Amino acid sequence: MKNKLFNRLSVGMSLMPLLIGLSFNLQADDNKPFAIAIHGGAGTINEADLSEVQQQAYRDKLQQAIEAGHKILAQGGDSLDAVQAAINVLEDSPLFNAGVGAVYTFDGKHELDASVMDGRNMAAGAVAGVSHIKNPINLARAVMEKSPHVMLYGQGAEEFAISQGMEFVPNQHFDTTHRYNQLIDAKKKIIKSELQDNDYQASVNKLDDNYKFGTVGAVALDKQGNLAAGTSTGGMTAKRFGRIGDAPVIGAGNYAENGTCAISATGHGEFFIRYNVAADICARVKYQQKSIIQAADEVINQRLVEAGGTGGVIAIDAKGNIATPFNTSGMYRATKVGDEPANIMIWRDK
Ligand code: ASP
C-alpha cells in the first residue's frame, strides 16, 4: 500500500518538471510578439474625393481583413495563413485593385498578378497574367507549395490551377463600373498624349497615380517568429496586355526572410522592379543593421523619390516592428500589434 502510494507520488513528482516546463512554454508562447500589417494600395488619394461613406467603407474592409489575419496569429497560427486570409478579404472586395475590382488592360480585360513568400525557408510562389482565378494569392501559394517552380504565368498558370482544384471565374467576374470608367478616362488621356509623343509607355507613365494603383498586400510575424509576405494586384489601368508588374516579382513587390523582415509593396511596378525595392529594404536591415523604419524610409522616400517612382510599402521586422512609408498622398493601410486595437489609416495622419 505504502509502496503504491510512494510510486504514485514519485511518478507525479517526476512529471512535475515536465508539467512546469509545459506551462512555462505555454506562457512563453503567449508572450511571443506577433503582428500584422496590410495595405490596399497607395496613390493620389484626395480627401475631397472620398465621401464619409466611402472612407468608412474602406476602413471597414481594412478592419475586416486585418482581423481575419490577426485571429489566426492570436491562436498561434502561421504567418503565411494570416497573410493569405487577410488578402482573400481584400481580393473579394470591389474597393481594391485585386480580385474583384481589378483594373482593366488597355483592351478591356483583367490580368492579375500575385505572390507569396515564406520567410522560414525562403520559399516563394507567384503567378502573373492570370485571368480566371478568383483568388490569385491562393494560386501563388499553390505554386510555392505544390510545384517545383517559383513563378507561372498565363495559360500555364491556369492549367496548373485546374490540377489544384482552384476556383475559376469568368474574366467578367472582376468587372466593376468605377474601374471601367477609369479605363475610358485613361484611354482618352493616353490617345491624346500619344498623338503628341507617339509613345504608349510614356503616355501611360503620365497618367496620375489614381489610374495606376490599388494593389493589396499583407505581412505578418507569428508567435513562432516566422515572417511571411503576400501581394495581389490587377496591375495598372490601361497596361498593355502581357505586362507584368512588380507584385509577382520576388524581391521587387514582395519579400520575406525570417530574422530580417517581410515587405509587400504598392506603386509604379516598373520602378519597384528596377530598384528591387522589397529586397533592398531587407538588405539594409540585414547587412547595415538599420531599423525597419529607417531602411524602408530610405528606399521609399529617398531612393525611389530621386528616381521618380511613386508608391509605398508595408514592412515588418523579426520583433514585430512595423513601418508603412509611402511617397504618394495616401496609402490604404492597417496595422495590428499583438492584441492591441487595429490602427487604420488612409492619409499620413489619419
Ligand atoms: N504595383 C502594381 C503594379 O505595378 C500596381 C499597384 O501597386 O497598384 O502592377
Side-chain angles (χ1 to χ4, degrees):
M1 182 68 188
K2 241 187 190 173
N3 256 352
K4 266 191 184 164
L5 188 67
F6 179 77
N7 278 346
R8 268 192 211 148
L9 272 175
S10 64
V11 169
M13 283 188 34
S14 64
L15 282 175
M16 278 301 256
L18 235 164
L19 290 173
I20 292 170
L22 189 67
S23 67
F24 172 78
N25 277 339
L26 284 177
Q27 220 176 355
D29 193 48
D30 269 351
N31 290 332
K32 293 256 169 74
F34 66 100
I36 178 165
I38 60 172
H39 70 79
T44 316
I45 308 169
N46 290 322
E47 210 176 329
D49 298 340
L50 274 190
S51 69
E52 285 287 322
V53 174
Q54 284 171 318
Q55 271 189 48
Q56 200 50 50
Y58 278 106
R59 290 185 198 276
D60 289 349
K61 200 43 82 173
L62 288 167
Q63 174 104 40
Q64 188 192 335
I66 204 152
E67 296 300 344
H70 167 265
K71 193 171 157 204
I72 291 169
L73 297 175
Q75 290 168 349
D78 254 28
S79 51
L80 200 59
D81 290 334
V83 159
Q84 184 179 3
I87 291 179
N88 282 163
V89 171
L90 301 172
E91 284 179 331
D92 290 341
S93 162
L95 294 174
F96 304 97
N97 172 19
V100 192
V103 297
Y104 288 80
T105 59
F106 190 85
D107 43 1
K109 304 244 168 58
H110 306 280
E111 294 181 358
L112 314 178
D113 301 335
S115 69
V116 286
M117 188 155 182
D118 185 346
R120 116 188 78 186
N121 52 6
M122 304 292 280
V127 291
V130 292
S131 38
H132 302 99
I133 306 300
K134 182 171 168 281
N135 294 102
I137 199 76
N138 299 358
L139 184 55
R141 184 166 179 179
V143 171
M144 174 174 85
E145 290 175 342
K146 309 275 174 53
S147 91
H149 306 301
V150 169
M151 191 191 288
L152 292 176
Y153 86 96
Q155 208 184 330
E158 296 200 345
E159 268 189 38
F160 172 72
I162 296 173
S163 74
Q164 297 303 310
M166 289 280 148
E167 199 171 344
F168 272 67
V169 289
N171 197 245
Q172 298 91 302
H173 166 81
F174 306 110
D175 285 354
T176 50
T177 313
H178 69 286
R179 294 291 182 205
Y180 188 70
N181 292 339
Q182 248 176 12
L183 174 68
I184 301 299
D185 237 43
K187 272 180 143 178
K188 279 187 202 147
K189 291 189 178 150
I190 290 169
I191 289 163
K192 253 195 215 149
S193 60
E194 216 165 15
L195 292 178
Q196 279 168 20
D197 53 27
N198 206 22
D199 178 348
Y200 171 83
Q201 190 56 52
S203 316
V204 170
N205 286 349
K206 275 185 211 149
L207 291 174
D208 72 50
D209 294 345
N210 267 336
Y211 293 96
K212 293 175 184 161
F213 305 147
T215 290
V216 309
V219 292
L221 169 74
D222 65 27
K223 289 184 184 175
Q224 293 73 43
N226 294 320
L227 288 166
T231 309
S232 181
T233 187
M236 288 175 30
T237 302
K239 65 183 181 181
R240 256 189 214 286
F241 80 90
R243 178 262 188 189
I244 295 171
D246 60 314
V249 179
I250 300 302
N254 204 61
Y255 197 73
E257 181 179 10
N258 271 17
T260 310
C261 64
I263 311 280
S264 171
T266 170
H268 195 157
E270 280 69 9
F271 286 86
F272 281 70
I273 294 174
R274 288 187 287 116
Y275 286 80
N276 201 28
V277 166
D280 186 5
I281 295 171
C282 288
R284 287 166 199 248
V285 172
K286 187 170 177 175
Y287 302 116
Q288 299 184 317
Q289 284 81 46
K290 288 187 170 150
S291 73
I292 191 73
I293 308 248
Q294 192 186 346
D297 183 64
E298 281 175 6
V299 175
I300 298 300
N301 287 315
Q302 291 171 32
R303 199 159 156 74
L304 267 191
V305 167
E306 281 157 22
T310 46
V313 292
I314 47 169
I316 189 168
D317 72 9
K319 294 196 175 118
N321 299 307
I322 292 173
T324 61
F326 50 96
N327 61 31
T328 51
S329 63
M331 180 167 82
Y332 299 103
R333 63 202 186 279
T335 60
K336 191 166 166 85
V337 177
D339 291 320
E340 283 170 23
N343 195 11
I344 299 171
M345 312 269 275
I346 302 176
W347 295 283
R348 226 149 271 290
D349 52 350
K350 60 176 178 171

